[in-house]
Amino acid sequence: MFRVGCASKYWLICTLYVIGLFDVLANSKDLIPASIVSGEVTDVSFYLSFRFWEEVFVPDGPNNKKEVLGRWCGPAHNVGDVLTYWILLPNDRLVARSNIRRAKDSLFPNRRSCPVPGIEPPPP
């Protein structure tokens, strides 16, 4: 939590992330706990897309025109599809979303939420 700048009040979210990560990684005996329990090959792709506490943009509102900045808190198992994640919104609400993108991606910046000085945002 210290390395990513996560506040201490979110210790439970971080703990659940670490528990989920240890569940899909091999232990000292080269066994994967999730594979032992389910009997299936374990998929770790949902942990590879984002880092814990990374800033992401998520659609906000019914028409999904506006995006809000949130924090990635890990995969949301048993909610939606495989690539559905827990996102912590600025109002301390934890929501499950699958349509998210990195906030600090230089190829696809969100100029409406984080304007660049000297560049006008596109009209709505």
Side-chain angles (χ1 to χ4, degrees), residues 57-68 99 101 110-113 122-124:
F57 285 123
V58 294
D60 188 36
N63 57 5
N64 295 337
K65 293 276 183 180
K66 187 177 179 184
E67 290 180 319
V68 66
N99 187 15
R101 65 186 182 93
N110 184 342
R111 291 192 173 94
R112 289 184 183 162
S113 293

Side-chain angles (χ1 to χ4, degrees), residues 58-61 64 72 74 76 79 81 83-87 89 93 95-100:
V58 294
D60 188 36
N64 295 337
W72 189 85
V79 179
D81 61 1
L83 297 178
T84 301
Y85 306 107
W86 289 117
I87 306 297
L89 297 179
R93 207 172 89 216
V95 296
R97 296 285 187 264
S98 61
N99 187 15
I100 64 173

